[in-house]
Amino acid sequence: MSVTYLWSREFLSKRLILWILLISNALGTVYGYIWYGGQLYNTAMEHPWWQLVFVPDSPTASLFFSLALIMLLYPPKQLAGMFFQQLIEALAVVTSVKYGIWAVAMIFAGASQGSDLVWQDWMLVASHTAMAVEALIFVKLFHIRWTALTAAIAWTLLNDTVDYTYGIFPYLPGPLYDHLWAVEGFTYGLTLFSGFVGWIAVKRSLSKPLG
């Protein structure tokens, strides 16, 4: 068996592969929301409730990817369901690439400023790298279109704006709070980069022959 077969649509679309990935992402999503428990509690105590949805960035990205996998396993039949699938897939790609790279970058940026790297950091590096990689690999199975991609980028930019306007961005390594303006700029730029990745996926999808 050729190694390239492991990246083929035929292999990636196997139900066993999709189920393994779904279970892994579902477990990671649950763990991610637990990880954000303290920040969610503090936000609920100190901020309006509507801001809670913008707090757990990475687990929400993982949730979008899990939903996208479910809809690959059980494709919607109705037109509304197909539009919803496109939106979820676009959100899965944009947010998984964005927050996968963002978390790894913040960990190493903090280390470069003197923060200690502990085993949890290495666990987060591995899991968030996997988030970005799996989105880039499985995007070939998705059905993303321009409208869904535009909505996904707009949502992610809104998330960035709420995070840094109201101070509910993910907790950072201590030294990075002195460079918050740079973190904010990097965050917005990474959203646009992730949207560009989604745009490439749309172009590839639209260029595929029908049938």
Side-chain angles (χ1 to χ4, degrees):
M1 181 181 65
S2 171
V3 174
T4 57
Y5 175 69
L6 299 176
W7 315 112
S8 67
R9 290 175 58 86
E10 179 183 356
F11 178 78
L12 295 175
S13 61
K14 289 182 179 295
R15 296 186 71 82
L16 176 60
I17 300 300
L18 294 175
W19 271 110
I20 291 173
L21 202 62
L22 174 58
I23 292 170
S24 300
N25 276 270
L27 292 174
T29 299
V30 172
Y31 179 77
Y33 282 115
I34 294 173
W35 179 276
Y36 270 89
Q39 187 173 359
L40 284 167
Y41 176 81
N42 291 336
T43 302
M45 293 297 98
E46 301 171 7
H47 296 262
W49 282 78
W50 64 266
Q51 294 179 15
L52 286 173
V53 70
F54 298 100
V55 172
D57 295 334
S58 293
T60 301
S62 181
L63 175 62
F64 288 143
F65 194 80
S66 297
L67 292 174
L69 292 172
I70 290 173
M71 286 185 282
L72 287 178
L73 287 162
Y74 302 100
K77 305 299 183 183
Q78 302 298 323
L79 186 60
M82 295 177 184
F83 285 141
F84 181 68
Q85 180 181 21
Q86 292 176 19
L87 176 60
I88 291 297
E89 290 173 346
L91 285 166
V93 171
V94 173
T95 60
S96 293
V97 172
K98 186 261 182 72
Y99 293 117
I101 297 174
W102 186 91
V104 174
M106 291 303 106
I107 289 171
F108 287 124
S112 73
Q113 296 293 314
S115 290
D116 293 330
L117 287 177
V118 297
W119 71 267
Q120 292 98 330
D121 292 319
W122 292 110
M123 183 255 315
L124 291 171
V125 167
S127 62
H128 284 79
T129 299
M131 277 178 56
V133 170
E134 70 183 3
L136 294 175
I137 291 175
F138 279 83
V139 69
K140 65 176 67 178
L141 302 183
F142 291 164
H143 314 81
I144 302 171
R145 292 296 182 266
W146 299 108
T147 51
L149 178 61
T150 301
I153 295 171
W155 167 262
T156 311
L157 288 172
L158 174 63
N159 197 350
D160 296 342
T161 301
V162 173
D163 277 357
Y164 292 94
T165 298
Y166 298 100
I168 58 169
F169 49 84
Y171 292 151
L172 299 168
L176 294 188
Y177 286 94
D178 292 332
H179 308 281
L180 191 57
W181 62 271
V183 173
E184 181 178 357
F186 176 76
T187 301
Y188 276 101
L190 196 52
T191 294
L192 297 178
F193 169 78
S194 302
F196 178 69
V197 171
W199 173 74
I200 293 175
V202 169
K203 289 194 66 175
R204 291 183 61 186
S205 176
L206 291 176
S207 66
K208 292 174 184 175
L210 297 176

